[in-house]
Amino acid sequence: MAHSTLIDLVGRVLAGRYRLLAPIGSGSSGRVYLADDVRLRRRVAVKVLHGGLADDAGFLRRFRAEAQMAASLHHPHVMAVYDWGEDDGVPFMVLELLKGGSLRSLLDEGPRLSPAQAAHVGRQVAAALAYAHARGLVHRDVKPANLLFDEHGIVRVGDFGLARALAEASWTEPAGTVVGTARYSAPEQAGGGPLDARADLYSLAVVLVEACTGEVPVVGETAIGTLAARSRRGITAPEVLGPLQPVVARAGQPDPEDRYPDAAAMGADLTAAARTLPAPGALPLAGFTAAGDDVEPTRQPMSARDLATRVFDQDASTRPVPVEDEVPLVVAPPRARFRRSMVPVFVAVAVVAALVAGVAAAVAAGGVGGATIAAPSLVGLDEEVAAARATDAGVLMQVVERVTSDDPAGLVIEQRPGPGAFLAEGDDLDVVVSRGPPPVDVPVIAGLPLAEAQAQLEAVGFVVNVVRQHDENVAVDIALGTDPPSPGQAPRESVISLIVSDGPAPVEVPAVAGQGYDTAAANLAEKRFAPVRRDEFSDDVEVGIVIGTDPAAGTLAPRDSEVVVRVSKGPELIAVPPLVGLTVEAASQALADAGLSADVQNFAPGKKVRAQDPSPGTKVKRGAKVTLFL
């Protein structure tokens, strides 16, 4: 998809739900937009993938599977995936909106991380990787552009699963993107074989070196050159990394067996190194920049009371996760926010602080009627995960309605009261849960060629599973029908079986040995075989009688295929050659050449044959003996 085409998507509403407001980033796989989720009335980030990927049916199947797996990840350091889909040829993913920008943006603006800051970021990434690896998901593309910060400076790892889907796509990425990816790749990624978690640890080591020095280690002039160089030598951590040197050196070994066994072990060493360092300074977050000064031009003003409530009891998922013995990291506000005068902001903060103090005092005095628990944010979570979060918060989740929606089945799409509202311990928190997308009509595909039938089913949103079965009347690779059948309906994105003819079932070749050819041929024709006669010599079977068939009797063969009928023409007879006057050696050789054998009487080397039995011209069976008298 051309760059200009991506810009033209501003203002478009994807899937009738996500209004694209402004581009806020781009990469090798697509462009990221600030967007409004008009259904849930929240701001999100929408990653629109390159248009060339929409034409790759194999990529789209893999994309759906990987997006669903990524959406199942719930961790403080993993970017949340809310939704995915395709809209008129535009594949997209809906992500949580992180306003601190990426590590790539931070480094591009000039700052370098101190070892303490790098350790702080690195162990958060290691925690995310350990969580994903335990669920069988290898990232494959850990790099600064995929490490993003929220407004508190907490890092989130993004694009889980997308790298594997892109690796199997037939679409060619824009020039230079492969080289860019190779800059952070482990050497074993050059082979194209299965990767394990240790490849992600190598990439994290590369990121830590670049974050502290601004230079990517062990880089060649080409992608192949980079991976070849990394297969020969490990990463040499520069002295500026201080206590992080041994961590980077171990994670950056060419042989995966010499690296950390898992992300948890690497994270433990990063934590140990962090405890020997001074407190990390403020991270100079880059933030993101959308069109215009206001990155949220349509946001409704928030009342002072709502603002106070949100500040007083933030959702747990947006707070920094405490680490034992960890020194809190002060976060510099994203620079993109300081484009207008800060005076109104300071006034608002003062008002909020007063309100917070008042609310806190009222709670301490018991003046809120026992309502001291803030409702957690459950929208966008799986039903089971939401119930567990509600229980942890001290309230009970009550499903009051299940509705059909474009959201995945089992997803919480609405809650009452909203996040941050105060409840008493044990109160009910009512939620609405999605039943999944509405069903769609199963198209009639019987009689269509396999490729056309599969394309029609995928066009309406089904995942197709081809099932073959024999049919006596329908040719190979012609569609017979579907399961569930048509006419009928099935949920969009569900698996539907496309039943395709494998042609007539194979038939067992009948036993016709010992029959005359005409009888044998009739019996084969009755079973819908095409008999083909082949006469051959036989010492045991009478002339004109069937010796056997090829394929043999009892073998399964395709209906209407040829079966060779082997018919006896009796034993093969050979005329005995004249041998009198020949040396014994020459006579023996002549018999062998004719397919006969010699029985020599009174043998002596070089003696000549004076008589033979049978006499010359007599016909005998192949292999018979001829007596030579010397």
Side-chain angles (χ1 to χ4, degrees), residues 440-446 453-454 457 460 462-469 479-491 493-500:
V440 295
D441 291 332
V442 179
V444 178
I445 48 79
Q454 183 170 350
L457 292 169
V460 295
F462 292 121
V463 177
V464 178
N465 175 39
V466 177
V467 177
R468 292 184 173 275
Q469 69 180 40
L480 299 173
T482 57
D483 184 20
S486 177
Q489 291 187 322
E493 299 295 335
S494 64
V495 176
I496 189 167
S497 294
L498 169 57
I499 305 168
V500 179

PDB file of all heavy atoms in Angstrom, residues 440-446 453-454 457 460 462-469 479-491 493-500:
ATOM      1  N   VAL A 440     -23.455 -15.513   9.565  1.00  0.00           N
ATOM      2  CA  VAL A 440     -23.569 -15.112   8.162  1.00  0.00           C
ATOM      3  C   VAL A 440     -24.049 -16.313   7.352  1.00  0.00           C
ATOM      4  O   VAL A 440     -23.928 -17.463   7.775  1.00  0.00           O
ATOM      5  CB  VAL A 440     -22.217 -14.606   7.615  1.00  0.00           C
ATOM      6  CG1 VAL A 440     -21.791 -13.341   8.314  1.00  0.00           C
ATOM      7  CG2 VAL A 440     -21.146 -15.673   7.749  1.00  0.00           C
ATOM      8  N   ASP A 441     -24.614 -16.033   6.199  1.00  0.00           N
ATOM      9  CA  ASP A 441     -25.133 -17.096   5.334  1.00  0.00           C
ATOM     10  C   ASP A 441     -23.984 -17.918   4.760  1.00  0.00           C
ATOM     11  O   ASP A 441     -22.961 -17.378   4.335  1.00  0.00           O
ATOM     12  CB  ASP A 441     -25.938 -16.502   4.182  1.00  0.00           C
ATOM     13  CG  ASP A 441     -27.242 -15.868   4.665  1.00  0.00           C
ATOM     14  OD1 ASP A 441     -27.761 -16.324   5.702  1.00  0.00           O
ATOM     15  OD2 ASP A 441     -27.718 -14.923   4.010  1.00  0.00           O
ATOM     16  N   VAL A 442     -24.165 -19.229   4.774  1.00  0.00           N
ATOM     17  CA  VAL A 442     -23.200 -20.129   4.134  1.00  0.00           C
ATOM     18  C   VAL A 442     -23.520 -20.182   2.643  1.00  0.00           C
ATOM     19  O   VAL A 442     -24.624 -20.584   2.259  1.00  0.00           O
ATOM     20  CB  VAL A 442     -23.277 -21.542   4.736  1.00  0.00           C
ATOM     21  CG1 VAL A 442     -22.279 -22.464   4.040  1.00  0.00           C
ATOM     22  CG2 VAL A 442     -23.024 -21.504   6.238  1.00  0.00           C
ATOM     23  N   PRO A 443     -22.606 -19.749   1.778  1.00  0.00           N
ATOM     24  CA  PRO A 443     -22.917 -19.726   0.340  1.00  0.00           C
ATOM     25  C   PRO A 443     -23.041 -21.141  -0.232  1.00  0.00           C
ATOM     26  O   PRO A 443     -22.472 -22.101   0.287  1.00  0.00           O
ATOM     27  CB  PRO A 443     -21.713 -18.998  -0.271  1.00  0.00           C
ATOM     28  CG  PRO A 443     -20.615 -19.164   0.725  1.00  0.00           C
ATOM     29  CD  PRO A 443     -21.257 -19.229   2.065  1.00  0.00           C
ATOM     30  N   VAL A 444     -23.810 -21.249  -1.320  1.00  0.00           N
ATOM     31  CA  VAL A 444     -23.966 -22.520  -2.028  1.00  0.00           C
ATOM     32  C   VAL A 444     -22.769 -22.702  -2.956  1.00  0.00           C
ATOM     33  O   VAL A 444     -22.573 -21.915  -3.885  1.00  0.00           O
ATOM     34  CB  VAL A 444     -25.284 -22.549  -2.826  1.00  0.00           C
ATOM     35  CG1 VAL A 444     -25.417 -23.853  -3.590  1.00  0.00           C
ATOM     36  CG2 VAL A 444     -26.479 -22.345  -1.896  1.00  0.00           C
ATOM     37  N   ILE A 445     -21.976 -23.735  -2.714  1.00  0.00           N
ATOM     38  CA  ILE A 445     -20.745 -23.920  -3.493  1.00  0.00           C
ATOM     39  C   ILE A 445     -20.694 -25.282  -4.187  1.00  0.00           C
ATOM     40  O   ILE A 445     -19.683 -25.595  -4.847  1.00  0.00           O
ATOM     41  CB  ILE A 445     -19.504 -23.722  -2.600  1.00  0.00           C
ATOM     42  CG1 ILE A 445     -19.601 -24.504  -1.291  1.00  0.00           C
ATOM     43  CG2 ILE A 445     -19.327 -22.252  -2.275  1.00  0.00           C
ATOM     44  CD1 ILE A 445     -19.288 -25.945  -1.375  1.00  0.00           C
ATOM     45  N   ALA A 446     -21.734 -26.093  -4.052  1.00  0.00           N
ATOM     46  CA  ALA A 446     -21.732 -27.421  -4.665  1.00  0.00           C
ATOM     47  C   ALA A 446     -21.561 -27.298  -6.177  1.00  0.00           C
ATOM     48  O   ALA A 446     -22.227 -26.494  -6.836  1.00  0.00           O
ATOM     49  CB  ALA A 446     -23.021 -28.166  -4.345  1.00  0.00           C
ATOM     50  N   ALA A 453     -14.601 -22.438  -4.746  1.00  0.00           N
ATOM     51  CA  ALA A 453     -15.456 -22.667  -3.580  1.00  0.00           C
ATOM     52  C   ALA A 453     -14.783 -22.146  -2.311  1.00  0.00           C
ATOM     53  O   ALA A 453     -15.421 -21.493  -1.469  1.00  0.00           O
ATOM     54  CB  ALA A 453     -15.768 -24.152  -3.450  1.00  0.00           C
ATOM     55  N   GLN A 454     -13.487 -22.411  -2.137  1.00  0.00           N
ATOM     56  CA  GLN A 454     -12.773 -21.947  -0.958  1.00  0.00           C
ATOM     57  C   GLN A 454     -12.736 -20.423  -0.914  1.00  0.00           C
ATOM     58  O   GLN A 454     -12.913 -19.814   0.142  1.00  0.00           O
ATOM     59  CB  GLN A 454     -11.360 -22.528  -0.952  1.00  0.00           C
ATOM     60  CG  GLN A 454     -10.556 -22.152   0.291  1.00  0.00           C
ATOM     61  CD  GLN A 454      -9.255 -22.941   0.394  1.00  0.00           C
ATOM     62  OE1 GLN A 454      -9.041 -23.884  -0.356  1.00  0.00           O
ATOM     63  NE2 GLN A 454      -8.404 -22.557   1.321  1.00  0.00           N
ATOM     64  N   LEU A 457     -16.074 -18.975   0.342  1.00  0.00           N
ATOM     65  CA  LEU A 457     -16.282 -19.152   1.778  1.00  0.00           C
ATOM     66  C   LEU A 457     -15.401 -18.192   2.576  1.00  0.00           C
ATOM     67  O   LEU A 457     -15.846 -17.617   3.579  1.00  0.00           O
ATOM     68  CB  LEU A 457     -15.982 -20.598   2.172  1.00  0.00           C
ATOM     69  CG  LEU A 457     -16.972 -21.652   1.640  1.00  0.00           C
ATOM     70  CD1 LEU A 457     -16.435 -23.046   1.867  1.00  0.00           C
ATOM     71  CD2 LEU A 457     -18.340 -21.486   2.303  1.00  0.00           C
ATOM     72  N   VAL A 460     -16.643 -14.436   2.837  1.00  0.00           N
ATOM     73  CA  VAL A 460     -17.672 -14.047   3.809  1.00  0.00           C
ATOM     74  C   VAL A 460     -17.196 -14.231   5.240  1.00  0.00           C
ATOM     75  O   VAL A 460     -17.977 -14.048   6.184  1.00  0.00           O
ATOM     76  CB  VAL A 460     -18.988 -14.835   3.579  1.00  0.00           C
ATOM     77  CG1 VAL A 460     -19.592 -14.476   2.240  1.00  0.00           C
ATOM     78  CG2 VAL A 460     -18.758 -16.339   3.663  1.00  0.00           C
ATOM     79  N   PHE A 462     -15.262 -17.053   6.687  1.00  0.00           N
ATOM     80  CA  PHE A 462     -15.070 -18.362   7.296  1.00  0.00           C
ATOM     81  C   PHE A 462     -13.606 -18.791   7.196  1.00  0.00           C
ATOM     82  O   PHE A 462     -12.886 -18.401   6.277  1.00  0.00           O
ATOM     83  CB  PHE A 462     -15.941 -19.426   6.620  1.00  0.00           C
ATOM     84  CG  PHE A 462     -17.415 -19.245   6.848  1.00  0.00           C
ATOM     85  CD1 PHE A 462     -18.290 -19.070   5.783  1.00  0.00           C
ATOM     86  CD2 PHE A 462     -17.936 -19.236   8.127  1.00  0.00           C
ATOM     87  CE1 PHE A 462     -19.637 -18.899   5.984  1.00  0.00           C
ATOM     88  CE2 PHE A 462     -19.287 -19.067   8.343  1.00  0.00           C
ATOM     89  CZ  PHE A 462     -20.147 -18.893   7.273  1.00  0.00           C
ATOM     90  N   VAL A 463     -13.175 -19.620   8.153  1.00  0.00           N
ATOM     91  CA  VAL A 463     -11.892 -20.311   8.073  1.00  0.00           C
ATOM     92  C   VAL A 463     -12.183 -21.687   7.499  1.00  0.00           C
ATOM     93  O   VAL A 463     -12.945 -22.459   8.073  1.00  0.00           O
ATOM     94  CB  VAL A 463     -11.228 -20.429   9.459  1.00  0.00           C
ATOM     95  CG1 VAL A 463      -9.924 -21.207   9.356  1.00  0.00           C
ATOM     96  CG2 VAL A 463     -10.986 -19.046  10.042  1.00  0.00           C
ATOM     97  N   VAL A 464     -11.600 -22.004   6.342  1.00  0.00           N
ATOM     98  CA  VAL A 464     -11.991 -23.187   5.575  1.00  0.00           C
ATOM     99  C   VAL A 464     -11.098 -24.379   5.899  1.00  0.00           C
ATOM    100  O   VAL A 464      -9.870 -24.266   5.902  1.00  0.00           O
ATOM    101  CB  VAL A 464     -11.938 -22.893   4.059  1.00  0.00           C
ATOM    102  CG1 VAL A 464     -12.307 -24.144   3.259  1.00  0.00           C
ATOM    103  CG2 VAL A 464     -12.885 -21.748   3.721  1.00  0.00           C
ATOM    104  N   ASN A 465     -11.745 -25.508   6.181  1.00  0.00           N
ATOM    105  CA  ASN A 465     -11.061 -26.777   6.376  1.00  0.00           C
ATOM    106  C   ASN A 465     -11.521 -27.723   5.264  1.00  0.00           C
ATOM    107  O   ASN A 465     -12.694 -28.101   5.207  1.00  0.00           O
ATOM    108  CB  ASN A 465     -11.386 -27.366   7.753  1.00  0.00           C
ATOM    109  CG  ASN A 465     -10.782 -28.741   7.949  1.00  0.00           C
ATOM    110  OD1 ASN A 465      -9.656 -28.991   7.529  1.00  0.00           O
ATOM    111  ND2 ASN A 465     -11.518 -29.645   8.570  1.00  0.00           N
ATOM    112  N   VAL A 466     -10.607 -28.085   4.348  1.00  0.00           N
ATOM    113  CA  VAL A 466     -10.962 -28.923   3.201  1.00  0.00           C
ATOM    114  C   VAL A 466     -11.020 -30.385   3.639  1.00  0.00           C
ATOM    115  O   VAL A 466     -10.064 -30.915   4.216  1.00  0.00           O
ATOM    116  CB  VAL A 466      -9.961 -28.743   2.049  1.00  0.00           C
ATOM    117  CG1 VAL A 466     -10.296 -29.685   0.894  1.00  0.00           C
ATOM    118  CG2 VAL A 466      -9.955 -27.295   1.578  1.00  0.00           C
ATOM    119  N   VAL A 467     -12.145 -31.029   3.370  1.00  0.00           N
ATOM    120  CA  VAL A 467     -12.344 -32.450   3.684  1.00  0.00           C
ATOM    121  C   VAL A 467     -12.660 -33.181   2.377  1.00  0.00           C
ATOM    122  O   VAL A 467     -13.576 -32.785   1.647  1.00  0.00           O
ATOM    123  CB  VAL A 467     -13.507 -32.640   4.691  1.00  0.00           C
ATOM    124  CG1 VAL A 467     -13.744 -34.119   4.954  1.00  0.00           C
ATOM    125  CG2 VAL A 467     -13.215 -31.894   5.979  1.00  0.00           C
ATOM    126  N   ARG A 468     -11.913 -34.233   2.092  1.00  0.00           N
ATOM    127  CA  ARG A 468     -12.119 -34.977   0.851  1.00  0.00           C
ATOM    128  C   ARG A 468     -12.890 -36.259   1.122  1.00  0.00           C
ATOM    129  O   ARG A 468     -12.674 -36.920   2.139  1.00  0.00           O
ATOM    130  CB  ARG A 468     -10.777 -35.317   0.192  1.00  0.00           C
ATOM    131  CG  ARG A 468     -10.039 -34.084  -0.327  1.00  0.00           C
ATOM    132  CD  ARG A 468      -8.756 -34.466  -1.050  1.00  0.00           C
ATOM    133  NE  ARG A 468      -8.133 -33.311  -1.678  1.00  0.00           N
ATOM    134  CZ  ARG A 468      -8.446 -32.854  -2.879  1.00  0.00           C
ATOM    135  NH1 ARG A 468      -9.369 -33.493  -3.599  1.00  0.00           N
ATOM    136  NH2 ARG A 468      -7.852 -31.796  -3.390  1.00  0.00           N
ATOM    137  N   GLN A 469     -13.776 -36.606   0.179  1.00  0.00           N
ATOM    138  CA  GLN A 469     -14.470 -37.876   0.257  1.00  0.00           C
ATOM    139  C   GLN A 469     -14.751 -38.372  -1.164  1.00  0.00           C
ATOM    140  O   GLN A 469     -14.904 -37.581  -2.103  1.00  0.00           O
ATOM    141  CB  GLN A 469     -15.764 -37.755   1.065  1.00  0.00           C
ATOM    142  CG  GLN A 469     -16.859 -36.940   0.406  1.00  0.00           C
ATOM    143  CD  GLN A 469     -18.113 -36.871   1.269  1.00  0.00           C
ATOM    144  OE1 GLN A 469     -18.034 -36.737   2.484  1.00  0.00           O
ATOM    145  NE2 GLN A 469     -19.263 -36.981   0.637  1.00  0.00           N
ATOM    146  N   ALA A 479     -16.439 -29.327  -5.592  1.00  0.00           N
ATOM    147  CA  ALA A 479     -17.082 -29.203  -4.291  1.00  0.00           C
ATOM    148  C   ALA A 479     -18.387 -29.986  -4.239  1.00  0.00           C
ATOM    149  O   ALA A 479     -19.200 -29.935  -5.169  1.00  0.00           O
ATOM    150  CB  ALA A 479     -17.332 -27.731  -3.969  1.00  0.00           C
ATOM    151  N   LEU A 480     -18.574 -30.700  -3.117  1.00  0.00           N
ATOM    152  CA  LEU A 480     -19.820 -31.448  -2.893  1.00  0.00           C
ATOM    153  C   LEU A 480     -20.774 -30.689  -1.971  1.00  0.00           C
ATOM    154  O   LEU A 480     -21.986 -30.828  -2.072  1.00  0.00           O
ATOM    155  CB  LEU A 480     -19.497 -32.813  -2.276  1.00  0.00           C
ATOM    156  CG  LEU A 480     -18.615 -33.743  -3.109  1.00  0.00           C
ATOM    157  CD1 LEU A 480     -18.252 -34.982  -2.306  1.00  0.00           C
ATOM    158  CD2 LEU A 480     -19.327 -34.136  -4.395  1.00  0.00           C
ATOM    159  N   GLY A 481     -20.235 -29.893  -1.056  1.00  0.00           N
ATOM    160  CA  GLY A 481     -21.069 -29.163  -0.108  1.00  0.00           C
ATOM    161  C   GLY A 481     -20.240 -28.689   1.066  1.00  0.00           C
ATOM    162  O   GLY A 481     -18.999 -28.672   1.019  1.00  0.00           O
ATOM    163  N   THR A 482     -20.912 -28.286   2.144  1.00  0.00           N
ATOM    164  CA  THR A 482     -20.238 -27.763   3.335  1.00  0.00           C
ATOM    165  C   THR A 482     -20.831 -28.367   4.593  1.00  0.00           C
ATOM    166  O   THR A 482     -21.926 -28.921   4.582  1.00  0.00           O
ATOM    167  CB  THR A 482     -20.372 -26.225   3.420  1.00  0.00           C
ATOM    168  OG1 THR A 482     -21.772 -25.886   3.411  1.00  0.00           O
ATOM    169  CG2 THR A 482     -19.668 -25.535   2.274  1.00  0.00           C
ATOM    170  N   ASP A 483     -20.098 -28.245   5.683  1.00  0.00           N
ATOM    171  CA  ASP A 483     -20.575 -28.617   7.014  1.00  0.00           C
ATOM    172  C   ASP A 483     -20.145 -27.520   7.967  1.00  0.00           C
ATOM    173  O   ASP A 483     -18.946 -27.360   8.205  1.00  0.00           O
ATOM    174  CB  ASP A 483     -19.987 -29.961   7.437  1.00  0.00           C
ATOM    175  CG  ASP A 483     -20.533 -30.432   8.791  1.00  0.00           C
ATOM    176  OD1 ASP A 483     -21.603 -29.925   9.196  1.00  0.00           O
ATOM    177  OD2 ASP A 483     -19.888 -31.282   9.431  1.00  0.00           O
ATOM    178  N   PRO A 484     -21.097 -26.714   8.501  1.00  0.00           N
ATOM    179  CA  PRO A 484     -22.552 -26.810   8.365  1.00  0.00           C
ATOM    180  C   PRO A 484     -23.008 -26.568   6.919  1.00  0.00           C
ATOM    181  O   PRO A 484     -22.338 -25.871   6.165  1.00  0.00           O
ATOM    182  CB  PRO A 484     -23.069 -25.725   9.302  1.00  0.00           C
ATOM    183  CG  PRO A 484     -21.908 -24.847   9.590  1.00  0.00           C
ATOM    184  CD  PRO A 484     -20.679 -25.616   9.381  1.00  0.00           C
ATOM    185  N   PRO A 485     -24.174 -27.164   6.589  1.00  0.00           N
ATOM    186  CA  PRO A 485     -24.608 -27.154   5.188  1.00  0.00           C
ATOM    187  C   PRO A 485     -25.208 -25.822   4.763  1.00  0.00           C
ATOM    188  O   PRO A 485     -25.504 -24.953   5.576  1.00  0.00           O
ATOM    189  CB  PRO A 485     -25.671 -28.266   5.164  1.00  0.00           C
ATOM    190  CG  PRO A 485     -26.235 -28.265   6.542  1.00  0.00           C
ATOM    191  CD  PRO A 485     -25.094 -27.928   7.452  1.00  0.00           C
ATOM    192  N   SER A 486     -25.361 -25.677   3.463  1.00  0.00           N
ATOM    193  CA  SER A 486     -26.048 -24.532   2.868  1.00  0.00           C
ATOM    194  C   SER A 486     -27.320 -25.045   2.195  1.00  0.00           C
ATOM    195  O   SER A 486     -27.321 -26.149   1.627  1.00  0.00           O
ATOM    196  CB  SER A 486     -25.140 -23.864   1.840  1.00  0.00           C
ATOM    197  OG  SER A 486     -25.800 -22.803   1.198  1.00  0.00           O
ATOM    198  N   PRO A 487     -28.432 -24.280   2.243  1.00  0.00           N
ATOM    199  CA  PRO A 487     -28.561 -22.970   2.904  1.00  0.00           C
ATOM    200  C   PRO A 487     -28.561 -23.102   4.420  1.00  0.00           C
ATOM    201  O   PRO A 487     -29.028 -24.086   4.971  1.00  0.00           O
ATOM    202  CB  PRO A 487     -29.897 -22.446   2.386  1.00  0.00           C
ATOM    203  CG  PRO A 487     -30.663 -23.678   2.066  1.00  0.00           C
ATOM    204  CD  PRO A 487     -29.680 -24.688   1.572  1.00  0.00           C
ATOM    205  N   GLY A 488     -27.987 -22.124   5.079  1.00  0.00           N
ATOM    206  CA  GLY A 488     -27.887 -22.100   6.524  1.00  0.00           C
ATOM    207  C   GLY A 488     -26.972 -20.973   6.933  1.00  0.00           C
ATOM    208  O   GLY A 488     -26.501 -20.196   6.098  1.00  0.00           O
ATOM    209  N   GLN A 489     -26.715 -20.855   8.235  1.00  0.00           N
ATOM    210  CA  GLN A 489     -25.858 -19.803   8.751  1.00  0.00           C
ATOM    211  C   GLN A 489     -24.845 -20.387   9.723  1.00  0.00           C
ATOM    212  O   GLN A 489     -25.058 -21.455  10.307  1.00  0.00           O
ATOM    213  CB  GLN A 489     -26.683 -18.719   9.463  1.00  0.00           C
ATOM    214  CG  GLN A 489     -27.544 -17.882   8.534  1.00  0.00           C
ATOM    215  CD  GLN A 489     -28.189 -16.722   9.274  1.00  0.00           C
ATOM    216  OE1 GLN A 489     -28.594 -16.859  10.427  1.00  0.00           O
ATOM    217  NE2 GLN A 489     -28.272 -15.574   8.621  1.00  0.00           N
ATOM    218  N   ALA A 490     -23.741 -19.675   9.897  1.00  0.00           N
ATOM    219  CA  ALA A 490     -22.700 -20.056  10.848  1.00  0.00           C
ATOM    220  C   ALA A 490     -21.997 -18.782  11.306  1.00  0.00           C
ATOM    221  O   ALA A 490     -22.010 -17.777  10.600  1.00  0.00           O
ATOM    222  CB  ALA A 490     -21.703 -21.023  10.204  1.00  0.00           C
ATOM    223  N   PRO A 491     -21.394 -18.798  12.507  1.00  0.00           N
ATOM    224  CA  PRO A 491     -20.703 -17.601  13.000  1.00  0.00           C
ATOM    225  C   PRO A 491     -19.544 -17.219  12.096  1.00  0.00           C
ATOM    226  O   PRO A 491     -18.805 -18.079  11.618  1.00  0.00           O
ATOM    227  CB  PRO A 491     -20.194 -18.032  14.389  1.00  0.00           C
ATOM    228  CG  PRO A 491     -21.048 -19.181  14.774  1.00  0.00           C
ATOM    229  CD  PRO A 491     -21.389 -19.889  13.501  1.00  0.00           C
ATOM    230  N   GLU A 493     -15.912 -16.081  11.100  1.00  0.00           N
ATOM    231  CA  GLU A 493     -14.612 -16.484  11.626  1.00  0.00           C
ATOM    232  C   GLU A 493     -14.614 -17.902  12.194  1.00  0.00           C
ATOM    233  O   GLU A 493     -13.604 -18.364  12.725  1.00  0.00           O
ATOM    234  CB  GLU A 493     -14.092 -15.512  12.715  1.00  0.00           C
ATOM    235  CG  GLU A 493     -13.877 -14.097  12.246  1.00  0.00           C
ATOM    236  CD  GLU A 493     -12.775 -13.978  11.214  1.00  0.00           C
ATOM    237  OE1 GLU A 493     -11.889 -14.833  11.201  1.00  0.00           O
ATOM    238  OE2 GLU A 493     -12.808 -13.040  10.411  1.00  0.00           O
ATOM    239  N   SER A 494     -15.750 -18.620  12.080  1.00  0.00           N
ATOM    240  CA  SER A 494     -15.772 -20.007  12.537  1.00  0.00           C
ATOM    241  C   SER A 494     -15.191 -20.913  11.453  1.00  0.00           C
ATOM    242  O   SER A 494     -15.080 -20.532  10.292  1.00  0.00           O
ATOM    243  CB  SER A 494     -17.198 -20.440  12.882  1.00  0.00           C
ATOM    244  OG  SER A 494     -18.022 -20.426  11.731  1.00  0.00           O
ATOM    245  N   VAL A 495     -14.823 -22.124  11.867  1.00  0.00           N
ATOM    246  CA  VAL A 495     -14.266 -23.099  10.918  1.00  0.00           C
ATOM    247  C   VAL A 495     -15.417 -23.803  10.210  1.00  0.00           C
ATOM    248  O   VAL A 495     -16.352 -24.289  10.852  1.00  0.00           O
ATOM    249  CB  VAL A 495     -13.379 -24.125  11.641  1.00  0.00           C
ATOM    250  CG1 VAL A 495     -12.882 -25.186  10.667  1.00  0.00           C
ATOM    251  CG2 VAL A 495     -12.199 -23.436  12.309  1.00  0.00           C
ATOM    252  N   ILE A 496     -15.359 -23.842   8.890  1.00  0.00           N
ATOM    253  CA  ILE A 496     -16.373 -24.523   8.105  1.00  0.00           C
ATOM    254  C   ILE A 496     -15.679 -25.563   7.233  1.00  0.00           C
ATOM    255  O   ILE A 496     -14.616 -25.310   6.672  1.00  0.00           O
ATOM    256  CB  ILE A 496     -17.182 -23.523   7.243  1.00  0.00           C
ATOM    257  CG1 ILE A 496     -18.376 -24.228   6.590  1.00  0.00           C
ATOM    258  CG2 ILE A 496     -16.314 -22.856   6.203  1.00  0.00           C
ATOM    259  CD1 ILE A 496     -19.382 -23.255   5.984  1.00  0.00           C
ATOM    260  N   SER A 497     -16.268 -26.765   7.177  1.00  0.00           N
ATOM    261  CA  SER A 497     -15.675 -27.835   6.376  1.00  0.00           C
ATOM    262  C   SER A 497     -16.167 -27.734   4.941  1.00  0.00           C
ATOM    263  O   SER A 497     -17.379 -27.721   4.696  1.00  0.00           O
ATOM    264  CB  SER A 497     -16.038 -29.201   6.965  1.00  0.00           C
ATOM    265  OG  SER A 497     -15.446 -29.378   8.231  1.00  0.00           O
ATOM    266  N   LEU A 498     -15.225 -27.647   4.012  1.00  0.00           N
ATOM    267  CA  LEU A 498     -15.526 -27.668   2.584  1.00  0.00           C
ATOM    268  C   LEU A 498     -15.308 -29.103   2.101  1.00  0.00           C
ATOM    269  O   LEU A 498     -14.187 -29.603   2.087  1.00  0.00           O
ATOM    270  CB  LEU A 498     -14.613 -26.703   1.831  1.00  0.00           C
ATOM    271  CG  LEU A 498     -14.618 -26.776   0.304  1.00  0.00           C
ATOM    272  CD1 LEU A 498     -16.022 -26.566  -0.254  1.00  0.00           C
ATOM    273  CD2 LEU A 498     -13.649 -25.758  -0.285  1.00  0.00           C
ATOM    274  N   ILE A 499     -16.421 -29.780   1.752  1.00  0.00           N
ATOM    275  CA  ILE A 499     -16.358 -31.185   1.347  1.00  0.00           C
ATOM    276  C   ILE A 499     -16.121 -31.243  -0.156  1.00  0.00           C
ATOM    277  O   ILE A 499     -16.912 -30.692  -0.940  1.00  0.00           O
ATOM    278  CB  ILE A 499     -17.651 -31.921   1.741  1.00  0.00           C
ATOM    279  CG1 ILE A 499     -17.906 -31.752   3.239  1.00  0.00           C
ATOM    280  CG2 ILE A 499     -17.565 -33.395   1.380  1.00  0.00           C
ATOM    281  CD1 ILE A 499     -19.277 -32.194   3.680  1.00  0.00           C
ATOM    282  N   VAL A 500     -15.036 -31.899  -0.550  1.00  0.00           N
ATOM    283  CA  VAL A 500     -14.596 -31.923  -1.948  1.00  0.00           C
ATOM    284  C   VAL A 500     -14.494 -33.375  -2.414  1.00  0.00           C
ATOM    285  O   VAL A 500     -14.054 -34.258  -1.664  1.00  0.00           O
ATOM    286  CB  VAL A 500     -13.227 -31.225  -2.098  1.00  0.00           C
ATOM    287  CG1 VAL A 500     -12.747 -31.270  -3.537  1.00  0.00           C
ATOM    288  CG2 VAL A 500     -13.327 -29.785  -1.617  1.00  0.00           C
TER     289      VAL A 500
END
